[in-house]
Amino acid sequence: MAQFYWKTAVFIGITAGLIWACSSGSDSPDPDPGTNPNPTNPVGTDRKAMLTHLADNIILPSYANFKTKFDLMLTKSDAFVAKPDQTTLTEFRQAWADAYTEWQKVELFDVGPAESHTLRYFFNIYPANTTGIEDNIKATSVTLDLPSAYPRQGFPAIDYLINGLAATDDAIIQRYTTAADAAKRIAYLKLITNQMKTVFTTVLTEWTTGGYRDRFVNSTGIDASSSLSKLVNGYVLHYERYIRSGKFGIPSGAMTNGTTAPDKVEAFYKKDLSLTLAKTAHQAAIDFFNGKDVKTGQEGPGLKSYLNALGAKDSQTGKSLTEVINAQFESTNAKLNALKTSLYDEVKTNNAAVLAVYTEMQKAVRMLKVDMTSAMSITISYVDTDGD
């Protein structure tokens, strides 16, 4: 889950990497990229057409949109570092919230460069390790590339550094101006934003000018090393572990025998942002499933159209799998819309409603992880340690 068990996340990444490394080359195109059994569907099971649409009309435009928000956040961070005051703090906070929200739309693309450079680990491991952050601020040298450093950086660390240092804005600004460690705190804020910029730039560059986009769309097989297999595995993992479990299962106690943990919600120090982040992530998962073009809003060849061309059915009802999945997504949205803006407060005072969201998402996990992958002849290659 994005926030928490980085040891589990690292184990998952290593295990999946070993599985894929033992498979055939990931860039080799499949001799049969899919036939079209349905003449009324002009795309059918043409996997190259699907991968091209996903890359050019969803993944790359989403990365571009995120870059716009992220670059503004970096600019506002630099302004705050240069002159910490109420104006620069307010503007930095808004840019951070906007970039964090936009991040929810790209975190699910855990394939290719994002996977190999573990982009998620540098951006959104929460809750932030505040003791570790303070230790890093005091240290003479800091390494951010180790797993132990993941919860000391990224959006959650910035949340702590601009929202959680003190009860008032004046007191927070004082930590960057007159406090004994003010210079070190400023330096650390600059260090972690630079780290985020470096890693994201590397990922985006590999997609755009490093040749990965072409390798992605030309890897048309369904073996464990193919683009579709990796993309689907990353998508299902994201929905199961980073949305269902991370945003709802862990805080609500659904994953911990009923022991609630409101302090493990996303955006802990900006509590009224947590539900927005969760809703944005869930809608991004829905839009990706349906192949929604980021630029036009129209559906194109994607998981939905591919499953329809395969004639995929829900294993429990026998109905169209895509119709059942989308109906389940909407059932989850109804539960999400019943929540108030602070998931921290909801866990503490209205946890039954949070558990209800988790329950609805779990129903979708079965459909995505079992029925969808079975219909596609794709094997789930990540390790499920949730015990569910």
Side-chain angles (χ1 to χ4, degrees):
M1 304 127 236
Q3 55 259 65
F4 34 100
Y5 300 149
W6 57 262
K7 291 183 179 179
T8 298
V10 172
F11 173 75
I12 291 166
I14 293 171
T15 302
L18 289 173
I19 291 171
W20 291 326
C22 294
S23 305
S24 58
S26 61
D27 297 331
S28 58
D30 184 72
D32 176 17
T35 57
N36 183 5
N38 183 359
T40 64
N41 183 336
V43 176
T45 57
D46 184 343
R47 290 190 287 274
K48 185 169 184 178
M50 174 173 58
L51 292 170
T52 300
H53 173 70
L54 295 177
D56 294 347
N57 299 320
I58 299 179
I59 297 174
L60 288 172
S62 294
Y63 274 144
N65 290 343
F66 172 68
K67 183 178 185 301
T68 298
K69 298 291 180 66
F70 181 54
D71 284 349
L72 181 59
M73 187 198 82
L74 296 176
T75 297
K76 297 302 182 180
S77 173
D78 288 342
F80 175 73
V81 164
K83 185 184 179 185
D85 60 23
Q86 185 63 61
T87 297
T88 56
L89 176 61
T90 299
E91 292 180 352
F92 183 17
R93 281 173 169 167
Q94 185 60 58
W96 164 83
D98 292 343
Y100 204 178
T101 302
E102 200 69 24
W103 163 257
Q104 306 296 321
K105 303 176 185 179
V106 301
E107 188 174 350
L108 72 160
F109 307 141
D110 193 28
V111 61
E115 178 200 8
S116 62
H117 295 290
T118 59
L119 180 64
R120 173 186 283 125
Y121 299 162
F122 292 103
F123 270 71
N124 200 29
I125 299 299
Y126 59 94
N129 181 346
T130 58
T131 299
I133 291 170
E134 293 299 331
D135 288 343
N136 279 0
I137 290 171
K138 297 172 187 175
T140 55
S141 64
V142 175
T143 300
L144 294 177
D145 295 329
L146 299 175
S148 59
Y150 294 152
R152 304 181 183 192
Q153 59 189 301
F155 287 116
I158 296 174
D159 183 22
Y160 166 68
L161 290 169
I162 64 176
N163 296 314
L165 290 179
T168 67
D169 288 358
D170 286 343
I172 289 174
I173 293 167
Q174 186 269 335
R175 299 293 297 274
Y176 290 95
T177 52
T178 60
D181 62 351
K184 291 183 176 180
R185 192 167 300 276
I186 286 174
Y188 189 70
L189 182 57
K190 185 66 176 175
L191 179 68
I192 62 175
T193 53
N194 281 342
Q195 175 79 345
M196 295 171 76
K197 180 181 180 180
T198 297
V199 178
F200 178 69
T201 299
T202 299
V203 168
L204 185 58
T205 299
E206 289 187 16
W207 263 101
T208 54
T209 60
Y212 180 73
R213 180 267 176 201
D214 291 342
R215 294 196 299 274
F216 176 81
V217 302
N218 287 309
S219 177
T220 56
I222 55 172
D223 59 284
S225 64
S226 68
S227 293
L228 184 59
S229 178
K230 290 185 176 183
L231 189 67
V232 168
N233 267 272
Y235 173 79
V236 177
L237 172 65
H238 178 72
Y239 192 90
E240 177 183 19
R241 188 159 293 147
Y242 296 98
I243 301 180
R244 180 210 63 164
S245 298
K247 299 180 192 300
F248 296 96
I250 296 293
S252 70
M255 310 291 296
T256 53
N257 297 317
T259 302
T260 60
D263 58 317
K264 292 184 178 179
V265 299
E266 200 170 15
F268 174 70
Y269 299 98
K270 176 63 174 166
K271 294 179 175 60
D272 60 352
L273 184 63
S274 54
L275 181 60
T276 295
L277 299 181
K279 283 185 172 182
T280 302
H282 191 252
Q283 189 60 49
I286 296 172
D287 291 344
F288 185 81
F289 175 80
N290 288 305
K292 185 176 179 180
D293 189 310
V294 170
K295 295 171 288 187
T296 68
Q298 300 299 309
E299 291 186 6
L303 302 184
K304 174 184 172 180
S305 65
Y306 186 68
L307 289 167
N308 284 342
L310 291 171
K313 304 296 182 183
D314 175 55
S315 62
Q316 293 188 0
T317 66
K319 296 179 180 179
S320 164
L321 180 58
T322 61
E323 291 180 7
V324 174
I325 288 174
N326 272 313
Q328 188 55 49
F329 283 152
E330 288 309 308
S331 293
T332 300
N333 277 341
K335 299 297 184 182
L336 281 168
N337 289 332
L339 296 175
K340 296 179 182 178
T341 57
S342 169
L343 290 180
Y344 174 86
D345 291 338
E346 290 292 81
V347 169
K348 290 180 72 69
T349 65
N350 189 29
N351 196 45
V354 182
L355 288 168
V357 173
Y358 171 87
T359 299
E360 293 303 313
M361 287 186 174
Q362 176 57 21
K363 296 175 184 176
V365 167
R366 187 269 302 172
M367 299 168 190
L368 297 171
K369 192 174 183 180
V370 180
D371 292 347
M372 180 177 77
T373 58
S374 177
M376 291 179 169
S377 299
I378 288 175
T379 300
I380 288 293
S381 55
Y382 65 85
V383 179
D384 182 1
T385 59
D386 289 342
D388 56 358

